[in-house]
Amino acid sequence: MLAFHRPARLLSGSAVRAFHVSRASRLPAILHPDLQAYKSLREEKAWVESSQSKPPPTISSLRICIVNLMPLKESTELQLCRMLARSPVASDIAWVVPNTYSGKNSTPGHLEKFYKRFNEVKGEKYDGIILTGAPIEHLDFEQVAYWKELQDFFEDVRKMDAGILSLCWGAMASLWHFHGVKKHITPRKVFGVFDHKISSKDRMLAIPDHVGIPVSRHTTWKRDDIISNPKLEILLDGPEEAGPGLVWDEDLGHAHMINHFEYDVDTLDGEYRRDLVKGTPTGEPIHIPNQYYPGDDPKNTPVLTWQTPGQVFYSNWLNTVMHRKWKREGKLS
Ligand SMILES: CC(=O)SCCNC(=O)CCNC(=O)[C@H](O)C(C)(C)COP(=O)(O)OP(=O)(O)OC[C@H]1O[C@@H](n2cnc3c(N)ncnc32)[C@H](O)[C@@H]1OP(=O)(O)O
């Protein structure tokens, strides 16, 4: 991501390190050893450590809370942990859902074993929060069963001065809560890989000027609603169809990312084939994902083009969280 802050020495050093793949330049993600993500990442040779034999916190350790509202929990856990495990900081990860969240598509027992509820983490201090998407963008926010709880959680996060990285529906929910920015239904599903332009090289350290990012949604932000708010800055801007991709709030240290750097190479393929079978909620014709299959032919295997910039994006976000933490703790002048 981004050196959302000015390119201070901490940020530039870490962003550069993110390009080096040796283990020495990274620190682990700390996970429950029974999570599938722990096992898969070990096989991938990413650095994960067991939460049951936790390495002692270092100056480069962060407490990260992931509010995972995605129905397919294990996929999202793996995708997000992959990004955190390849970064230059150690992330001690807590998984959290709202008190009233049922997780109707979750494996039975999964939430009980690996997740905490909002009421169980009340009073905890996290350095960074990741809030995922959820397939509920067709609902008004107030129709979401756990909306009131989420709003209370947002206010707790504001008090703990933690950085937020909000994703897709989570980004829409955050911008609505903190800034009153509305989401709007798009004429058709925005689906595929869309070219985004970075708006500031200083704030987007080591991200290419143009970067393709996976997008899958039926809603968007209006650019004018963001530009007219002096507290918000668009850091990644997509074409008209996709709209702004990443919005940064310097005061609160929040990054609102409406698209999906963390997606696997075949995630959009899976959604496309699911839509062909099940249809979309709006009943619209299913179109081939934009700039995804070589030759726009679904028989061809898609190519993973967003992983490296996506990795830098997540590392940079962690750096902004670290920077905020060190400032809070008086470690920076
Ligand atoms: C916009 C974004 O953020 S993109 C991210 C979302 N993308 C994805 O989740 C991709 C993968 N998802 C899928 O393929 C599908 O959602 C499936 C196959 C898992 C389930 O699809 P369906 O059977 O059509 O939907 P289903 O009726 O199970 O409801 C989907 C979710 O909406 C939730 N939901 C529905 N109504 C409400 C409501 N009023 N308040 C809160 N949650 C609601 C359901 O609880 C369920 O979430 P959960 O499994 O986390 O509990």
Side-chain angles (χ1 to χ4, degrees):
M1 133 169 188
L2 1 164
F4 298 139
H5 293 273
R6 67 193 178 286
R9 57 192 181 281
L10 166 71
L11 299 172
S12 51
S14 299
V16 169
R17 281 200 300 278
F19 276 112
H20 296 270
V21 291
S22 76
R23 172 166 291 190
S25 64
R26 289 178 277 133
L27 286 169
I30 298 161
L31 291 174
H32 195 295
D34 292 344
L35 271 176
Q36 186 53 45
Y38 177 90
K39 296 167 197 161
S40 301
L41 289 170
R42 287 228 141 189
E43 279 164 23
E44 290 178 19
K45 309 288 182 224
W47 191 2
V48 286
E49 292 293 339
S50 163
S51 55
Q52 321 228 303
S53 54
K54 227 185 247 189
T58 71
I59 193 163
S60 299
S61 298
L62 292 175
R63 293 192 75 209
I64 301 293
C65 166
I66 303 183
V67 180
N68 185 2
L69 302 172
M70 292 286 272
L72 306 175
K73 291 275 176 286
E74 283 95 338
S75 307
T76 305
E77 287 159 8
L78 177 56
Q79 290 168 355
L80 292 176
C81 289
R82 184 180 285 126
M83 293 296 173
L84 300 182
R86 293 174 178 171
S87 81
V89 305
S91 306
D92 187 1
I93 299 166
W95 301 95
V96 178
V97 286
N99 303 331
T100 55
Y101 174 84
S102 61
K104 64 183 266 206
N105 293 287
S106 305
T107 309
H110 190 79
L111 296 179
E112 291 71 17
K113 179 159 184 184
F114 300 113
Y115 283 66
K116 291 184 174 165
R117 300 281 171 174
F118 279 166
N119 59 3
E120 293 175 271
V121 298
K122 194 148 184 82
E124 290 280 344
K125 295 264 183 284
Y126 294 104
D127 304 306
I129 311 289
I130 297 178
L131 172 65
T132 71
I136 49 176
E137 53 180 335
H138 56 290
L139 300 175
D140 290 341
F141 293 117
E142 291 70 21
Q143 291 177 297
V144 173
Y146 45 77
W147 178 244
K148 176 73 181 60
E149 281 187 70
L150 189 58
Q151 287 196 298
D152 291 345
F153 180 75
F154 281 143
E155 288 310 307
D156 290 343
V157 173
R158 194 200 293 267
K159 280 183 214 133
M160 69 177 88
D161 194 31
I164 292 184
L165 172 57
S166 61
L167 306 172
C168 206
W169 179 84
M172 298 176 211
S174 307
L175 263 197
W176 172 241
H177 175 79
F178 288 105
H179 294 287
V181 174
K182 290 185 182 155
K183 63 180 165 70
H184 299 270
I185 304 279
T186 51
R188 67 171 195 167
K189 182 172 183 178
V190 190
F191 191 41
V193 179
F194 287 82
D195 182 62
H196 287 69
K197 267 193 313 197
I198 65 167
S199 63
S200 152
K201 278 186 188 291
D202 284 353
R203 289 183 180 275
M204 300 293 287
L205 281 182
I207 303 276
D209 292 355
H210 286 261
V211 56
I213 311 176
V215 180
S216 175
R217 51 185 158 80
H218 297 86
T219 45
T220 195
W221 291 313
K222 285 202 172 141
R223 193 170 280 106
D224 287 349
D225 291 347
I226 296 168
I227 293 170
S228 62
N229 185 328
K231 299 213 172 279
L232 300 177
E233 186 178 1
I234 297 172
L235 293 187
L236 279 169
D237 204 2
E240 202 52 40
E241 184 182 354
L246 173 67
V247 176
W248 172 239
D249 176 340
E250 172 79 25
D251 286 356
L252 295 178
H254 293 175
H256 307 291
M257 172 45 134
I258 202 170
N259 302 323
H260 294 281
F261 263 137
E262 73 285 357
Y263 268 10
D264 295 319
V265 67
D266 58 357
T267 304
L268 294 180
D269 179 61
E271 289 189 19
Y272 173 62
R273 291 179 200 288
R274 176 204 64 198
D275 286 351
L276 285 177
V277 173
K278 285 187 70 177
T280 62
T282 54
E284 69 187 270
I286 316 294
H287 59 275
I288 293 174
N290 185 61
Q291 293 189 346
Y292 178 56
Y293 298 112
D296 286 334
D297 183 347
K299 288 199 282 308
N300 292 333
T301 307
V303 180
L304 183 56
T305 54
W306 55 88
Q307 189 173 60
T308 301
Q311 187 59 64
V312 178
F313 172 85
Y314 273 82
S315 293
N316 285 356
W317 175 70
L318 289 167
N319 285 338
T320 67
V321 172
M322 184 71 78
H323 187 268
R324 202 170 181 89
K325 175 182 158 134
W326 283 14
K327 265 190 124 168
R328 205 170 46 237
E329 293 174 352
K331 293 194 175 93
L332 295 176
S333 51

